[in-house]
Amino acid sequence: MSSSSLSASGSASRNSLAEVASSEASLRRFLHGLPGIDAVGLQARAAGLGTRSIKTSAKAYAIDLAISMIDLTTLEGADTPGKVRSLCQKAQSPDPGNPDVPHTAAVCVYPDMVPFAKEALGSAPINVAAVATAFPSGRAGLPVKLADTAEAVAAGADEIDMVIDRGAFLSGRYLEVFETITEIKKACERPDGTSAHLKVIFETGELVTYDNIRRASWLAMLAGAHFIKTSTGKVAVNATPANTLVLMEAVRDFRDATGVQVGVKPAGGIRTTKDAMKYLVMVNEILGDDWLSPDWFRFGASSLLNDLLMQRQKLSTGRYSGPDYVTVD
């Protein structure tokens, strides 16, 4: 899909986009008017990009860039303040013996853990992201979702990762999903006029088709998402190169149509340096330099950092350290 094809059909002009969400019918007409996705072609494109390698001279840079793009995450029922403090320490100093290793972009926690994360990070230039809106199911009434978000923002969250109600989306209640996102975005506002950034999670593994993923991407961006995110990491199918490619094409085309840039966050199942390099190649090829920054591309990951650190040391010393080189968190 290209923005030129959208413009040719009259779907994505600035004026028409302003009216898209004026009714359920117009929103449905727009979303179902987006060009369909050739699943075989998409998967072949994603697989082809995955065969490209980053050479040794650029690999060290790419590893550090990937580290700087990580939302270091703990989202378990057994999370404790101590575990969150430990995670924050690792986010600040991923390799305590090597101050040249960059810090991560953010730590991602449940809303009740935000105060402990903010305290542990202090003035460090690392954001605190909080999952909200009945994560990971997204199945709660709007008042509950708004309260969940407001609590996290009041506690100091810099970013809110909200999850859409897939049941509503798959039932075709697009305007309901749109209005929920816009209300959550309002709940991200602070009394001083600033706002926490809003990342909208689709749970792509439950959306069934690539066409639905494209529709969800445009729906979230039309509603004002700062980032669109593949998944919660809590289902069988999370981020894949193919479903992330759909998100990348969507943000590219949205900027072409509106001038507004939106970030992308694949999450869940990205565990190795090799995986991360594939995604960075995709960003470079599909989106270009403008998105090769933690401001516009993130990895939702918990174990990825350890492998990046191991590969970083291998590049610098020619050998791997023992298993105690990195923490197991």
Side-chain angles (χ1 to χ4, degrees):
M1 179 180 72
S2 67
S3 57
S4 60
S5 65
L6 288 170
S7 297
S9 65
S11 298
S13 70
R14 288 177 181 271
N15 289 338
S16 63
L17 282 177
E19 301 299 322
V20 161
S22 60
S23 70
E24 184 76 72
S26 63
L27 186 56
R28 175 183 299 278
R29 193 161 49 244
F30 174 82
L31 295 177
H32 284 266
L34 293 169
I37 293 178
D38 174 356
V40 174
L42 176 82
Q43 291 167 353
R45 174 68 166 149
L49 290 170
T51 64
R52 301 185 186 181
S53 61
I54 297 178
K55 304 304 180 185
T56 303
S57 58
K59 191 172 182 179
Y61 168 78
I63 286 174
D64 280 1
L65 180 61
I67 291 171
S68 75
M69 291 173 163
I70 289 177
D71 284 2
L72 198 58
T73 302
T74 183
L75 297 171
E76 303 298 334
D79 285 343
T80 64
K83 183 177 180 181
V84 169
R85 293 187 187 103
S86 176
L87 193 77
C88 291
Q89 182 59 46
K90 185 170 182 176
Q92 294 178 80
S93 301
D95 182 351
N98 186 349
D100 292 333
V101 177
H103 59 76
T104 69
V107 295
C108 185
V109 295
Y110 278 114
D112 63 317
M113 293 289 109
V114 168
F116 304 106
K118 293 296 289 186
E119 179 185 25
L121 290 171
S123 61
I126 298 171
N127 289 340
V128 174
V131 297
T133 67
F135 178 95
S137 70
R139 305 303 295 265
L142 183 58
V144 173
K145 292 180 178 182
L146 293 174
D148 198 24
T149 303
E151 177 186 350
V153 173
D158 304 291
E159 301 170 4
I160 295 295
D161 287 29
M162 71 160 285
V163 58
I164 67 167
D165 180 340
R166 281 84 71 196
F169 179 88
L170 292 170
S171 298
R173 305 198 310 271
Y174 300 134
L175 191 59
E176 177 183 329
V177 178
F178 176 92
E179 290 176 342
T180 297
I181 296 170
T182 60
E183 290 299 310
I184 296 300
K185 187 175 181 180
K186 291 177 185 176
C188 290
E189 296 173 0
R190 305 185 185 98
D192 64 1
T194 63
S195 180
H197 276 202
L198 180 62
K199 304 208 238 15
V200 178
I201 310 169
F202 304 138
E203 203 69 286
T204 50
E206 295 185 347
L207 293 188
V208 185
T209 69
Y210 294 124
D211 286 338
N212 276 341
I213 296 171
R214 173 171 284 169
R215 290 169 188 143
S217 298
W218 277 84
L219 179 62
M221 292 187 293
L222 289 168
H226 296 106
F227 261 75
I228 54 177
K229 177 178 171 182
T230 59
S231 22
T232 64
K234 301 295 186 182
V235 298
V237 178
N238 292 290
T240 69
N243 63 37
T244 304
L245 180 55
V246 177
L247 270 62
M248 289 183 184
E249 290 179 341
V251 300
R252 176 198 64 195
D253 295 343
F254 188 78
R255 190 177 74 167
D256 286 347
T258 67
V260 176
Q261 186 163 333
V262 176
V264 174
K265 179 179 173 180
I270 305 170
R271 297 184 176 89
T272 69
T273 299
K274 185 176 180 180
D275 291 336
M277 297 302 103
K278 290 179 180 179
Y279 284 95
L280 291 182
V281 168
M282 290 172 60
V283 175
N284 185 64
E285 292 291 323
I286 304 300
L287 300 175
D289 290 346
D290 288 352
W291 271 270
L292 280 171
S293 158
D295 291 335
W296 300 109
F297 191 80
R298 300 280 184 84
F299 292 106
S302 53
S303 60
L304 172 61
L305 180 56
N306 287 347
D307 194 70
L308 287 165
L309 293 173
M310 295 288 285
Q311 296 300 329
R312 191 183 194 278
Q313 198 208 39
K314 174 67 161 52
L315 279 180
S316 63
T317 68
R319 60 181 177 80
Y320 293 109
S321 283
D324 58 347
Y325 173 63
V326 293
T327 61
V328 297
D329 289 338

